Amino acid sequence: MKIVLHAAQDQEAWIAAFRRALPQAQIDPWSAAHAAQADYAIVWKPRPEILPAFSRAKAVFNLGAGIDAIPDLGAIAPGIPLVRLDDAGMAEQMIEYVSEAALRCYREVDAYADQQRETRWQPRPRRAKAEFIAGILGAGVLGAAVAGALRSLGFPVRAWSRTRRRLDGVEGFAGMDELAGFLTRTRFLVCLLPLTPGTTNLLDRARLSLLPHGACVVNVARGGLVVDADLVALLDEGHLAAAFLDVFREEPLPPEHPFWHHPRIVLTPHVSAVTLARETVAQIVDKIGRLEAGLPVTGVVDRERGY
Ligand code: NDP
Ligand code: OXD
């Protein structure tokens, strides 16, 4: 079996890890000649000329959950499935990241930190948990996992998706018609949508303004989902209390970007859920085994929907 791997980062380490897991396979870095012979392709942030060369591959695997870094989905021949990571250890990491942010907002950790700086002893009124409604944009692999975790912390949870999802104990909202209703009562908003033409700039001033006064926003999906200037304006005006941002339109975030020094923004460098080598290699190897056996695999991207 011939596999070609092209990764914008850590390519040598990925090749070594797949060689260890599949010693019988020939695994090479991309070249036009290797690609033309490849049974499988494994890519991360491929350059545009890479993908059309996989003319006889049985599948192209993406070393991540989001496929927005693939410049042109049409560049992969129509009969070749594009398979993304589903979970592969990322759900647990997302749960940790979002739960920390939720508890930090709900328990007003930052307000107490301000009081400590002012040497001020002032218990704040206990907030009603029933009013701290968490809303997840996206009810897929990661959104559903985060929704379940926030439920088990005792928060009321709602989730918005393209098609209606039925998740245990979670109020479901679907489609553009129900987005305003979803946002108006959400005090803690988590964005876990893929970046597609249908979701780009979704969280603009008009939509973020629908959140109740004092709401917190977490973006762990992609920077292009949020209009940066609108988010900053609503934080400055006090409509939003805080934002937790892990993803940005441009990464690394340029040093002059206002997010860096905003007092109400907590910023991390795209680490909320990293691609874990062991879990990722195991998942892709398992899927190759299934495809070789003629069995279906999960995580096949629907190119029409774009995710
Ligand atoms: P899934 O494909 O499993 O879930 C996507 C969800 O978004 C689905 O519920 C889908 O609806 C919903 N959705 C898509 N388009 C729309 C739309 N136009 N309107 C309403 N809902 C929509 O993806 P994952 O949960 O695995 O991952 C989500 C995203 O998280 C990834 O695409 C990636 O960008 C990001 N990510 C970020 C990481 C990080 O480190 N920061 C790590 C991993 C992922 P439906 O259920 O109807 O299909
Ligand atoms: C992903 C990511 O999409 O790392 O997997 O952001």
Side-chain angles (χ1 to χ4, degrees):
M1 177 190 302
K2 291 183 177 156
I3 300 177
V4 167
L5 191 146
H6 170 83
Q9 290 125 21
D10 304 325
Q11 174 163 290
E12 287 312 310
W14 282 113
I15 289 177
F18 277 101
R19 282 185 179 149
R20 279 193 297 277
L22 285 171
Q24 73 284 14
Q26 179 187 325
I27 304 178
D28 295 300
W30 189 90
S31 72
H34 283 134
Q37 296 299 315
D39 297 301
Y40 293 98
I42 303 172
V43 299
W44 181 240
K45 298 187 179 173
R47 295 193 309 272
E49 72 273 19
I50 300 288
L51 297 170
F54 295 117
S55 49
R56 49 160 286 207
K58 292 178 226 171
V60 173
F61 291 97
N62 182 55
L63 282 174
I67 48 107
D68 48 290
I70 294 187
D72 173 14
L73 295 182
I76 304 173
I80 303 178
L82 169 62
V83 187
R84 69 185 192 91
L85 292 184
D86 43 3
D87 188 349
M90 287 191 265
E92 184 180 346
Q93 299 175 71
M94 279 300 179
I95 286 171
E96 292 162 358
Y97 189 98
V98 175
S99 300
E100 191 272 340
L103 293 171
R104 181 168 168 166
C105 293
Y106 172 61
R107 295 303 303 256
E108 303 181 280
V109 171
D110 293 310
Y112 282 115
D114 289 346
Q115 290 183 197
Q116 183 179 353
R117 269 189 293 279
E118 295 159 13
T119 327
R120 188 148 53 93
W121 180 278
Q122 189 190 320
R124 301 169 68 84
R126 195 82 171 92
R127 299 167 104 187
K129 217 166 194 180
E131 283 163 24
F132 192 87
I133 298 174
I136 322 292
L137 290 165
V141 174
L142 301 178
V146 166
L150 294 177
R151 274 291 302 144
S152 59
L153 285 173
F155 298 116
V157 181
R158 43 178 53 191
W160 181 75
S161 46
R162 202 178 44 84
T163 56
R164 197 173 307 283
R165 298 275 151 173
R166 301 199 189 285
L167 304 173
D168 227 21
V170 175
E171 193 183 356
F173 293 74
M176 282 299 173
D177 290 351
E178 296 182 18
L179 181 57
F182 165 86
L183 292 169
T184 43
R185 292 189 60 225
T186 293
R187 298 204 68 88
F188 180 77
L189 181 73
V190 181
C191 188
L192 267 168
L193 292 166
L195 184 66
T196 67
T199 61
T200 300
N201 296 328
L202 186 83
L203 294 178
D204 59 6
R205 185 178 181 94
R207 299 219 174 85
L208 289 170
S209 299
L210 293 173
L211 295 168
H213 184 86
C216 299
V217 173
V218 179
N219 187 11
V220 279
R222 288 294 184 263
L225 293 156
V226 177
V227 179
D228 295 3
D230 293 356
L231 176 67
V232 169
L234 289 165
L235 287 163
D236 287 344
E237 290 160 22
H239 182 73
L240 297 176
F244 297 79
L245 305 176
D246 183 53
V247 286
F248 306 93
R249 283 169 188 265
E250 188 182 343
E251 295 182 2
L253 186 65
E256 66 282 4
H257 198 287
F259 284 168
W260 276 111
H261 300 292
H262 198 286
R264 291 287 164 236
I265 290 180
V266 177
L267 184 158
T268 47
H270 203 137
V271 292
S272 53
V274 299
T275 299
L276 299 173
R278 190 167 51 84
E279 289 79 351
T280 298
V281 171
Q283 183 171 109
I284 292 176
V285 167
D286 178 65
K287 287 182 180 179
I288 288 175
R290 289 182 65 84
L291 290 169
E292 289 294 297
L295 296 169
V297 294
T298 56
V300 176
V301 171
D302 179 329
R303 299 203 210 170
E304 286 287 304
R305 293 181 327 194
Y307 68 98

